[in-house]
Amino acid sequence: MPLQRPVLWVHEEALGPRNPALLAWPQAPALFVFDSAWISSAHISRKRIGFLYESALALPVSLRKGDVAAEVMAFAKCHTADGVVSSRPVDPRLQRIANSIRRQWPIVLLEPDAFVNPPRPPRLGRFSRYWRDAESVVWEGFTSNAS
Amino acid sequence: MDAPLTQLPAPPPLNWAVAEDDLPREFPNRDEFAQDLEQLFPQTEGGLSPLRGGRDAAERQLERMNAKCYGRSRNHLDGAVTQLSPYIRHGVLSLAEVREAVFDQLRQHRQQREDGATLIKELGWRDFWQRIWTGLGDQINNNQEELNTGHDPNSYGRNVPDDIRTGRTGLACMDRFQADLVETGWLHNHARLWLAAYVVHWRRVHWKAGADWFLEHLLDGDPASNHLSWQWVASSFSHKPYFFNRENLERYSKGRFCTDCPSAGCCPFEGSYAQLETQLFAPPAAIGDTGGTHGRERGATFARPSAAAARPKR
Ligand SMILES: Cc1cc2nc3c(=O)[nH]c(=O)nc-3n(C[C@H](O)[C@H](O)[C@H](O)COP(=O)(O)OP(=O)(O)OC[C@H]3O[C@@H](n4cnc5c(N)ncnc54)[C@H](O)[C@@H]3O)c2cc1C
């Protein structure tokens, strides 16, 4: 069943207006959580926290710190939500958080804006191969005004 | 008009109730924001970066982008690099938005595709590393291949030495890079390469220790771009180790470090590529020319990862 009353989990890979969850659900309550365990274990410096904080302040999101999955689920409960929507993360740490939310709540992960969408997945072994598959597709959107 | 520098832009209102344990969203100014962060995140160290987060700052930075100049100058420390990486890394700007901004600029200036080709390709590097990360997941923490330095992998130190961490190596260039890393959280790509090569090859420190140190500080800190670039320098994600010499560093930094360097006269980077190769790597290291990237340094008689190209090529 599609979600009717979700909350949004905004994470470190999608702190901008092109976040597909914010675009799809502009009125839904949204939350960003500073991951305390990651900050401590990776010795993240305060300037990185400041950068994330300032970026999150530009968005309509509530801010918390702590255990990310637990905070998102508490937020969902508090807003009597029927699920959580977020943007699909690349970072395995964020994927693990999404998985632990999924164990207790429906979660929908929306695809962020792609840089390039080749008809077949590009080959990745080397950059040169990837670029051979990707370059012309990237440039499809460009027509020059040069005379 | 821009808000005065000490002000933070007003956050957009929320249409739901604020909870008791929510973190604050209003700060009178950036100094008080910095003080509050100290209270809110007591486990973290240091001050704020002069580089600001948020969409307004990202858009201002995007307006400064000059794709054509970038193509000509990106390898120079004072070249027209975009400094967009922290915004791109955290999705404040999507890579697609930056691609569109490059296209718009080319159209507005009646420029050709070639004028934006280098910048578009660099954006491609980010996409490439992200796709690799999607495939490899946590495996990016491990060596992708055996090292090609001829040294026992266990001979690499597991910690970044204190003199490097605190900027007291006595090498003007490396100490400056350390200061920039710690104070601003951003380094030019070439500075990242030189510092990483110094840590791994001159000081024989394991790439993972250096990579973790970078991630503590870089505002664009991204495990994929960072770890895989460190591995490329170390040679566990490339056919051969990346290194450089003083001439190369001097050229791309316009000599700004060497003139007053306390270590002038005993510079560890002084020498030809052939001399440094013998000094840094153990025979019989498999570090000969195995193809791939090509040294473009004058006088290099063998293929080398090109510091002129200044980023991993595979
Ligand atoms: C040892 C080492 C560690 C690095 N760690 C990171 C990191 O943690 N995060 C990070 O984003 N980049 C990293 N890079 C790549 C590169 O140095 C930075 O992306 C670049 O210097 C950022 O500055 P800029 O925005 O002015 O880049 P520009 O040269 O202006 O390029 C524009 C954008 O393209 C992308 N880009 C350019 N070059 C690369 C590259 N080689 N790899 C990936 N993306 C690229 C970035 O998003 C960048 O903002 C690392 C490179 C090295 C050698």
Side-chain angles (χ1 to χ4, degrees), chain B residues 70 82-85 122 129 186 189 192 220 222 226 229:
Chain B
Y70 176 89
T82 65
Q83 287 205 345
L84 288 173
S85 52
E122 293 309 313
W129 291 134
W186 182 86
N189 183 59
R192 296 181 201 216
D220 62 27
D222 173 81
N226 183 62
S229 296

Side-chain angles (χ1 to χ4, degrees), chain A residues 12 15 27 45-48 53-55 59 61-65 96 115-116 124 126 130 145, chain B residues 15-16 22-24 30 40 44-46 53 90 99 110 127 131 138 182 215-218 314:
Chain A
E12 292 94 320
L15 282 169
Q27 301 301 323
S45 61
R46 200 170 295 139
K47 64 188 162 299
R48 285 200 69 183
Y53 209 126
E54 282 183 305
S55 297
L59 298 172
V61 293
S62 294
L63 303 169
R64 301 251 176 104
K65 59 177 177 163
R96 281 190 285 274
F115 172 66
V116 58
L124 291 178
R126 308 152 67 103
Y130 153 78
N145 279 346
Chain B
N15 60 12
W16 56 91
D22 280 2
L23 301 177
R30 207 166 186 252
L40 294 169
T44 61
E45 286 178 10
H90 292 297
R99 178 200 63 210
R110 299 188 161 272
D127 187 51
R131 286 172 188 264
D138 289 324
V182 172
L215 288 190
E216 291 175 20
H217 296 288
L218 286 174
R314 274 171 49 94

